[in-house]
Amino acid sequence: MLHSTSSEHFADRSVVEGLIFKMMDTIQQQDPPQHEYLFAQLKEPPRSQPQLDAKVVCTEVHGSGECLDTSVISSMELNGGRDFLAVGDRGGKITVYREEYVNKRSKFIEYLVFQSHDPEFDYLKSLEIEEKINQIKWVPRSYHDRFLLSANDKTVKLWRVGEMASRSVENLNDVNNPNHLALPRVKFGTSRPVACFRRAYANAHAYHINSISVNTDQETFLTSDDLRINLWNLERNKESFLAVDMKPENMEDLTEVITSSVFHPTQCNVFAYSSSKGITRMCDMRVSAVCDNKNSKVFQDIPANRGYFSEVISSICSLQFSNSGRYLATRDFMMVKIWDLTMERTPVQIIPVHEHLHCKLGDLYENDSIFDKFSVSWSDRDDYISTGSYDGLVCLAQRNSTRSSIYAISRDVSKNQVLKPKTVVSGPAEKRHSVSVEALDLDRKVGLTQWGSDNLLLAAANSSMYVLTVK
């Protein structure tokens, strides 16, 4: 039997946050082993991987103006038809782009801009609720209009995105001539795009919502926070059902939190979620309504050598099923791991992303950059995997291959500019296409990447969105 959580109030959010930071402070209070820092400084740079035989061209740049905190892109999502792109920012605004073909070339044109969330204040808990868009998901289209879900820290909203024709009434009667009666007529004008609010799904999460995922049955979707995952019906916003509960009876026993969740692309009864311990669990709702460790398939790669920051950098920040549904990609701070769903003991492929940052983990911990999140995305045919990095770097890797390359999106990149593969080195950048790890701009982070149709790759860095073509 499913358990309703519509009116349930969880423990104070500060308790969980305090325990999370308590675990981090435990590491900080310990004296770091000096030999480990010495080893990090003397460690040889990682051997370069064979580069991709691919040509990457920047075809479009959107929103490359002044970078304000409210204009930083926090979420983006393509619809199922790959012709509409929704981009959310920290100011609660959503910009919808429509793909059009100009001179036989695909181009994203701004279609609609609307305010999805506004800042709120919880008077019961004295807590400010930010308007930042944490995630956007399109609902599979079953009729003419399009629907999307947008979530901030506490509330998920359903929006209808479509067109509405302007209307005016003409042929009105003249009040000065009562003998002349005419039938008024409604005249329809040109259509304009609009976003209409449908319903809100609220009061089910005591902690920050970190992800939402729409099911392939087109009726239900998941929302997850630090400790629980809820299952919703799109037509019913008054109640939700508990799918995963990681809240211990004693909050002092809390050792891990949920970081992300996603539905399987073809099986509506299967979903997966990741945790801060580097563990991914795949659950089947046919086995149990409330999924726990006993009813889950666990994917975990235990490192042979555990270092000073192993617990922090092993936290999974993003996971994504392949389009075929056979593989699962997980991204932690250092690398991307590809898992075969039939082999949970070890990943079938490991893609290094931040190997060059091993010597700077101490500095990254001091400025909190070690807690940054990066998304992972599959191409349409599952032959490429993409993720982001610092200083406008985008990492592309081939499936079933050791080939991977890093491409740099510079601030002054121009349209139709070919991007050259870069190599990040620990010392000074002596070669033309090399970047020194000391010169990396940690504030210019490519946190979001997503593949479109025809090998189009979308990448978001701060308040700018780049459209790349991989040939």
Side-chain angles (χ1 to χ4, degrees):
M1 180 176 180
L2 298 177
H3 303 277
S4 174
T5 61
S6 58
S7 60
E8 184 178 356
H9 294 281
F10 305 152
D12 189 4
R13 170 177 173 268
S14 60
V15 176
V16 171
E17 287 188 343
L19 287 172
I20 296 173
F21 287 107
K22 181 181 178 181
M23 292 186 291
M24 297 298 102
D25 292 338
T26 303
I27 301 176
Q28 189 177 20
Q29 291 172 2
Q30 299 174 354
D31 292 331
Q34 299 297 328
H35 67 274
E36 185 170 26
Y37 277 120
L38 181 62
F39 175 76
Q41 294 175 3
L42 299 179
K43 184 178 179 180
E44 294 182 0
R47 296 180 180 178
S48 58
Q49 299 287 334
Q51 293 186 346
L52 290 178
D53 186 16
K55 181 180 179 181
V56 180
V57 182
C58 180
T59 57
E60 294 181 56
V61 181
H62 295 273
S64 57
E66 183 180 0
C67 180
L68 303 176
D69 183 66
T70 56
S71 64
V72 173
I73 297 175
S74 58
S75 178
M76 66 178 181
E77 183 73 13
L78 277 166
N79 68 337
R82 298 291 195 266
D83 54 347
F84 278 83
L85 170 66
V87 178
D89 58 24
R90 292 184 180 178
K93 182 180 65 176
I94 294 180
T95 304
V96 180
Y97 296 89
R98 181 172 61 182
E99 185 181 22
E100 297 182 357
Y101 284 88
V102 180
N103 297 328
K104 297 182 179 181
R105 287 189 175 184
S106 174
K107 188 176 183 180
F108 284 94
I109 307 297
E110 185 176 298
Y111 178 73
L112 173 65
V113 180
F114 66 97
Q115 188 72 24
S116 175
H117 289 77
D118 294 308
E120 301 176 6
F121 188 82
D122 189 342
Y123 292 96
L124 294 178
K125 297 181 179 180
S126 298
L127 180 68
E128 293 184 0
I129 303 175
E130 295 182 353
E131 66 273 27
K132 185 185 88 168
I133 306 296
N134 291 338
Q135 268 210 341
I136 299 174
K137 293 294 180 182
W138 290 89
V139 179
R141 183 181 178 186
S142 57
Y143 35 88
H144 180 69
D145 291 330
R146 296 170 176 84
F147 289 85
L148 63 83
L149 294 167
S150 61
N152 67 347
D153 289 340
K154 295 294 183 180
T155 306
V156 180
K157 293 184 179 181
L158 177 66
W159 297 88
R160 181 183 67 85
V161 178
E163 295 188 358
M164 179 180 296
S166 59
R167 292 177 293 183
S168 61
V169 181
E170 61 180 15
N171 198 23
L172 297 176
N173 293 312
D174 188 1
V175 294
N176 297 323
N177 187 7
N179 296 326
H180 178 72
L181 297 178
L183 184 64
R185 293 181 299 178
V186 177
K187 182 180 179 181
F188 292 91
T190 57
S191 300
R192 59 184 179 88
V194 293
C196 301
F197 171 75
R198 284 303 187 188
R199 58 181 63 92
Y201 309 88
N203 303 323
H205 289 282
Y207 315 108
H208 289 177
I209 298 174
N210 52 47
S211 60
I212 55 179
S213 180
V214 181
N215 202 346
T216 54
D217 61 6
Q218 303 184 15
E219 295 181 355
T220 57
F221 67 96
L222 289 176
T223 59
S224 63
D225 60 19
D226 292 339
L227 294 182
R228 294 182 176 178
I229 299 178
N230 293 330
L231 178 66
W232 299 81
N233 189 294
L234 284 168
E235 301 297 332
R236 303 172 64 180
N237 63 337
K238 299 300 182 181
E239 62 178 355
S240 63
F241 301 96
L242 188 62
V244 174
D245 186 7
M246 294 186 64
K247 182 180 178 181
E249 295 182 0
N250 185 4
M251 293 299 290
E252 294 292 335
D253 299 332
L254 179 66
T255 58
E256 61 178 330
V257 295
I258 300 172
T259 57
S260 183
S261 63
V262 62
F263 263 119
H264 194 275
T266 59
Q267 302 180 34
C268 62
N269 53 287
V270 177
F271 70 92
Y273 67 96
S274 58
S275 75
S276 57
K277 274 191 171 182
I279 302 175
T280 302
R281 298 177 176 90
M282 189 171 65
C283 309
D284 190 340
M285 293 186 291
R286 297 174 301 180
V287 177
S288 176
V290 179
C291 302
D292 52 18
N293 293 335
K294 297 180 181 179
N295 302 314
S296 304
K297 196 171 186 178
V298 179
F299 301 85
Q300 184 180 16
D301 183 27
I302 301 177
N305 300 320
R306 298 185 63 85
Y308 185 64
F309 298 104
S310 295
E311 293 186 5
V312 181
I313 62 178
S314 63
S315 176
I316 298 175
C317 56
S318 176
L319 76 161
Q320 189 69 41
F321 283 103
S322 62
N323 296 295
S324 64
R326 180 180 176 181
Y327 299 100
L328 178 66
T330 61
R331 169 69 201 269
D332 55 36
F333 185 78
M334 300 301 295
M335 64 191 70
V336 175
K337 298 177 182 179
I338 309 298
W339 299 85
D340 191 320
L341 299 187
T342 60
M343 300 169 55
E344 63 268 25
R345 290 189 176 182
T346 180
V348 295
Q349 184 178 355
I350 296 179
I351 305 168
V353 181
H354 284 164
E355 288 294 316
H356 50 273
L357 293 178
H358 266 298
C359 59
K360 294 183 67 66
L361 290 180
D363 297 335
L364 295 174
Y365 180 78
E366 292 295 332
N367 57 25
D368 291 338
S369 296
I370 200 171
F371 302 104
D372 288 341
K373 297 181 179 181
F374 301 89
S375 68
V376 61
S377 179
W378 293 82
S379 61
D380 280 348
R381 293 177 294 181
D382 295 338
D383 50 352
Y384 287 105
I385 302 102
S386 66
T387 188
S389 181
Y390 295 107
D391 202 14
L393 299 180
V394 178
C395 178
L396 300 184
Q398 260 183 336
R399 176 70 189 98
N400 290 326
S401 173
T402 58
R403 295 180 177 272
S404 63
S405 294
I406 295 178
Y407 298 88
I409 306 174
S410 61
R411 296 180 183 273
D412 55 350
V413 64
S414 59
K415 294 182 180 180
N416 300 324
Q417 178 178 340
V418 179
L419 305 183
K420 299 295 183 180
K422 299 287 185 178
T423 302
V424 183
V425 295
S426 57
E430 298 177 353
K431 297 183 179 180
R432 179 181 179 185
H433 297 298
S434 61
V435 181
S436 174
V437 67
E438 300 294 337
L440 291 178
D441 185 0
L442 301 181
D443 294 328
R444 191 167 179 267
K445 179 186 69 172
V446 180
L448 302 170
T449 61
Q450 187 170 17
W451 289 87
S453 58
D454 300 328
N455 275 351
L456 285 181
L457 178 60
L458 308 175
N462 292 346
S463 60
S464 302
M465 185 189 69
Y466 304 89
V467 182
L468 311 176
T469 302
V470 181
K471 300 180 180 179

